[in-house]
Amino acid sequence: MSQKNPRAIAALMLEKVIYGGTSLSQLLTEDSASDPMVRDLCFGTLRWHERLTAILDILLTKSLKSKDKDVECLLRVGLYQVLYQSAPEYAAVNETVAAVKGLRKPWAVKFVNGVLRTFLRRKESVLHQIEEIETAHYAFPQWLLDSVREAWPEQWESVLEQSNLRAPMTLRVNLSQNTREAYQASLKAEGIESSLHPSVESALILDKPMSVFELPGFNEGYVSVQDAAAQIAASLMQCESGMRVLDACAAPGGKTGHMLEHTAGLDMVAIDHTETRLIRIGENLERLGLEAAIVLADANEPGEWAKPGFDRILLDAPCSATGVIRRHPDIKVLRWEEDIETLHEQQKSILKSMWGILNQGGRLVYATCSILPAENESIVAEFLASTPDAVIKPIEAEWGLEQQYGRQVLPGMDAMDGFYYAVIEKK
């Protein structure tokens, strides 16, 4: 991979995401992706994927061969820069053409130059044309656009609009170390502006994103980066000192750490089924100076680690992640409609397994970062119908929308990610 040209690097990474099904987060761990420009080009191009695709459909007389999809992805990068970045248009085109060298395809120089200059000439009419295409207008794939519209008939346009914005950087103040107001004052002393979150007592929203290492006391565990919606979990758990608590599907450990900050003296077990993800949990807890039993395990198959059962279980179930598209725009190209049925079955299965290891009188919090009812309310409704000793507990709160079962936060509500919570107790 070309080490020099960020546009070429971005094009090769985008090819792996769009045509190889690789997640962007995975690719961004590579050294070549440490360049902020590479990250911005990848995020932006994926955020506007449907619009850029519609433009290419107009500009290209025929589809490029599969071996030349890297050239197509470089065109996407060029179009993204022309439309969404502040650099002069001709400079963006020239730089994109220069990046062809990084793909080692000399024939493509003339081709990329021609396509992008044609777009500049016809820009107004092309943009007018794509506005007639629903997927391009909303920058969402058709299946997901339809699903959101059906699930949220009153809010669907706002959900799509918010999902296309850049997410704010939200902090979780470690309230066992400091008050939120005191930490906000220490930020202000460093010239960092923030606002108090209206409904989550540990959350501060930064005016501008920044490196975590510039945050006062980050290395000492005074603060973590976590969306406000994800911070709701700890209070819903209602843990008490001495309880045995399970964080199922725990990586990267944000909620594990928050529960331990929230309530001292917990016997905490955190499980995940991927070894590399377990390392992240350990690193996060070490920075916070907290301890838990970290176990490589499948939530569907409780083993010795599950004995003698748990008083509290947080099940942040594997899901479509449709509530966090603003943070992970690659979800728009990686997810397919048929994935939802597969996830639905997986979620039902894990919930049933977790129920088997919850002690009588115990509480299970079911959570997802999805906005689709098939992964949220439907799961809980089916579970309650088939589980006589399960009781749903209403969530009295100011955040989100009350559902028949649980509460749903939609993307952008109080600057939060999309998230669903339901609280179920065992009679």
Side-chain angles (χ1 to χ4, degrees):
M1 191 178 273
S2 162
Q3 290 300 311
K4 292 179 183 165
N5 196 304
R7 291 168 183 82
I9 295 169
L12 291 165
M13 289 174 74
L14 288 164
E15 183 188 19
K16 287 182 184 173
V17 175
I18 298 166
Y19 295 106
T22 310
S23 94
L24 183 58
S25 312
Q26 198 178 321
L27 294 171
L28 289 176
T29 58
E30 296 173 6
D31 290 345
S32 56
S34 57
D35 182 338
M37 186 177 180
V38 171
R39 299 174 74 91
D40 181 65
L41 292 172
C42 288
F43 274 92
T45 304
L46 289 165
R47 184 174 290 119
W48 304 111
H49 175 77
E50 295 290 339
R51 290 181 72 79
L52 302 177
T53 298
I55 292 168
L56 283 175
D57 286 346
I58 294 168
L59 296 176
L60 299 181
T61 48
K62 59 180 182 181
S63 182
L64 284 160
K65 293 174 184 162
S66 56
K67 67 182 176 66
D68 295 323
K69 291 299 185 186
D70 53 347
V71 176
E72 183 201 285
C73 288
L74 184 60
L75 284 171
R76 291 173 184 277
V77 168
L79 290 169
Y80 165 67
Q81 292 171 98
V82 167
L83 288 168
Y84 297 104
Q85 290 193 321
S86 55
E89 290 180 347
Y90 280 94
V93 169
N94 291 338
E95 291 295 337
T96 306
V97 171
V100 173
K101 193 176 174 187
L103 305 182
R104 297 185 180 150
K105 291 187 175 173
W107 65 266
V109 171
K110 200 172 171 184
F111 173 73
V112 169
N113 187 47
V115 172
L116 292 177
R117 289 186 189 279
T118 300
F119 176 65
L120 291 189
R121 281 198 310 277
R122 296 174 52 195
K123 185 175 159 188
E124 213 165 299
S125 84
V126 169
L127 292 180
H128 181 70
Q129 255 178 287
I130 68 163
E131 281 308 315
E132 302 300 308
I133 304 165
E134 193 175 46
T135 51
H137 178 78
Y138 291 106
F140 257 72
Q142 193 69 56
W143 76 267
L144 187 50
L145 197 158
D146 292 340
S147 301
V148 173
R149 181 162 43 202
E150 187 185 342
W152 307 104
E154 290 173 25
Q155 300 94 346
W156 69 276
E157 283 188 288
S158 158
V159 168
L160 301 182
E161 191 183 314
Q162 290 292 327
S163 297
N164 285 332
L165 299 178
R166 293 173 188 236
M169 184 169 172
T170 305
L171 306 181
R172 183 187 82 230
V173 178
N174 185 344
L175 299 180
S176 68
Q177 305 265 22
N178 216 334
T179 67
R180 182 169 64 159
E181 289 71 17
Y183 188 77
Q184 187 182 36
S186 67
L187 286 176
K188 199 168 178 62
E190 300 280 335
I192 304 166
E193 295 299 326
S194 65
S195 53
L196 303 177
H197 192 276
S199 52
V200 180
E201 62 172 10
S202 49
L204 279 174
I205 304 165
L206 294 184
D207 285 12
K208 288 184 195 149
M210 60 192 302
S211 162
V212 290
F213 302 111
E214 293 173 44
L215 296 170
F218 178 78
N219 289 329
E220 293 73 36
Y222 292 171
V223 71
S224 300
V225 176
Q226 188 180 40
D227 188 78
Q231 295 183 40
I232 291 167
S235 58
L236 290 181
M237 290 286 283
Q238 293 190 1
C239 295
E240 294 169 23
S241 189
M243 280 184 171
R244 192 156 189 259
V245 180
L246 173 66
D247 189 355
C249 317
K255 297 182 188 73
T256 315
H258 193 196
M259 286 186 279
L260 291 165
E261 289 171 5
H262 194 271
T263 312
L266 297 179
D267 178 8
M268 175 69 73
V269 178
I271 67 166
D272 207 274
H273 63 85
T274 315
E275 209 144 340
T276 49
R277 287 162 64 82
L278 283 186
I279 294 166
R280 293 280 311 281
I281 302 174
E283 288 169 349
N284 274 323
L285 293 184
E286 188 179 352
R287 182 181 62 81
L288 295 167
L290 298 167
E291 284 182 16
I294 301 171
V295 183
L296 181 66
D298 185 339
N300 249 325
E301 296 169 11
E304 284 302 310
W305 55 268
K307 295 171 183 169
F310 296 92
D311 306 303
R312 295 284 186 271
I313 296 176
L314 172 61
L315 172 52
D316 187 357
C319 72
S320 62
T322 44
V324 293
I325 285 173
R326 58 190 196 158
R327 294 187 193 279
H328 303 281
D330 55 335
I331 289 163
K332 292 180 184 184
V333 301
L334 295 175
R335 284 276 175 240
W336 300 90
E337 190 168 8
E338 49 271 28
D339 294 341
I340 306 305
E341 183 54 41
T342 308
L343 286 161
H344 179 89
E345 293 307 316
Q346 192 182 359
Q347 290 149 354
K348 277 201 307 188
S349 173
I350 296 176
L351 179 51
K352 191 178 174 188
S353 295
M354 292 294 95
W355 194 252
I357 58 175
L358 181 69
N359 296 333
Q360 283 191 327
R363 166 177 283 224
L364 182 148
V365 173
Y366 177 82
T368 75
C369 56
S370 169
I371 52 173
L372 303 179
E375 301 179 87
N376 298 338
E377 259 209 298
S378 299
I379 296 288
V380 175
E382 285 178 44
F383 179 73
L384 293 170
S386 63
T387 316
D389 59 349
V391 181
I392 190 84
K393 303 300 282 185
I395 301 171
E396 304 292 338
E398 290 173 19
W399 51 264
L401 301 171
E402 186 179 5
Q403 305 299 293
Q404 187 181 355
Y405 303 118
R407 289 186 85 87
Q408 177 78 54
V409 179
L410 295 176
M413 283 183 167
D414 289 336
M416 292 194 278
D417 287 341
F419 237 89
Y420 172 81
Y421 286 105
V423 176
I424 312 169
E425 290 189 350
K426 199 172 206 175
K427 278 196 269 199

